[in-house]
Amino acid sequence: NAEAQRSLDLIPIGDVDVYDRLLRTAVTMGIVPQRFGDSQKVNDDIERYLAIPRGTKMVPASPMTKWFNTNYHVVRPEIEREPQLVENPRIQANDNQNTKYALIGPATLLYYSINKTSLSDKELFRSLVNQYNQLIQCLPTDVIQLEEPSFVVNGIPEDYSEFLDKIEKRVHIHTYFCSVGKIASNLFTLPVEGFGLD
């Protein structure tokens, strides 16, 4: 795999997780059901982390669903309180300058989440992007790949450009699984360096 990537100008990192990237992103943002305990402890302890998709004898697992139109299943994050970035998030190290960090974006994270708070999705999005901005500042690359496949089925949140304007790194937006024809006029005006389409 590493050999095959040598010809790439930018090699993605952070695009693999021990279980589920959507789950990892949610836990990093402090989105952990209270029945599994403190979000910081879940971030720090692999057994607690894996209890969310697997459940325990005492605690039921979080629900799962298909990742868009694939056969791959992901854990649906359960938002019970405002997102709060954990300390020392599990971030893949960068030992190569020609890398970009791949991160599931806030719109897609929210699209898959179950909102159990009294906040509207719009209010949650605003809260979530503040945590994303803090995380992005910590990432070990100058280029960030924000993956937003939810754009093709749910549109682009109206505050998304404002979120991007606050990011002090180069951003690539990736969206996939469907044509972007219906959102092209909004997508290609976003203030980013590049786009990835599939």
Side-chain angles (χ1 to χ4, degrees), residues 168-181:
E168 297 177 0
K169 297 192 178 193
R170 296 155 57 202
V171 176
H172 295 172
I173 291 285
H174 283 227
T175 189
Y176 35 84
F177 297 137
C178 194
S179 166
V180 299

Side-chain angles (χ1 to χ4, degrees), residues 117-146:
T117 73
S118 60
L119 300 171
S120 67
D121 282 353
K122 191 171 184 177
E123 290 170 320
L124 264 181
F125 179 78
R126 288 175 179 164
S127 177
L128 190 57
V129 297
N130 290 333
Q131 305 309 308
Y132 263 82
N133 273 308
Q134 291 181 46
L135 174 65
I136 288 168
Q137 291 304 315
C138 302
L139 295 178
T141 62
D142 292 327
V143 183
I144 307 301
Q145 175 177 303
L146 285 174

Side-chain angles (χ1 to χ4, degrees), residues 71-141:
N71 234 359
Y72 180 73
H73 283 69
V74 293
V75 175
R76 292 198 68 191
E78 299 171 74
I79 306 179
E80 298 176 345
R81 51 196 174 279
E82 276 200 73
Q84 179 65 53
L85 185 66
V86 296
E87 295 180 14
N88 302 312
R90 290 178 178 264
I91 295 173
Q92 185 177 336
N94 174 29
D95 55 3
N96 187 325
Q97 289 186 336
N98 299 324
T99 55
K100 60 178 176 177
Y101 209 95
L103 184 65
I104 292 175
T108 298
L109 174 59
L110 195 56
Y111 174 76
Y112 265 92
S113 296
I114 302 168
N115 182 0
K116 296 183 175 182
T117 73
S118 60
L119 300 171
S120 67
D121 282 353
K122 191 171 184 177
E123 290 170 320
L124 264 181
F125 179 78
R126 288 175 179 164
S127 177
L128 190 57
V129 297
N130 290 333
Q131 305 309 308
Y132 263 82
N133 273 308
Q134 291 181 46
L135 174 65
I136 288 168
Q137 291 304 315
C138 302
L139 295 178
T141 62

Side-chain angles (χ1 to χ4, degrees), residues 14 28 30 32 66 89 97 99 132 135 158 162 166 180:
T28 298
V32 171
K66 285 188 176 184
Q97 289 186 336
T99 55
Y132 263 82
L135 174 65
E158 62 181 37
E162 184 180 338
K166 292 178 181 177
V180 299

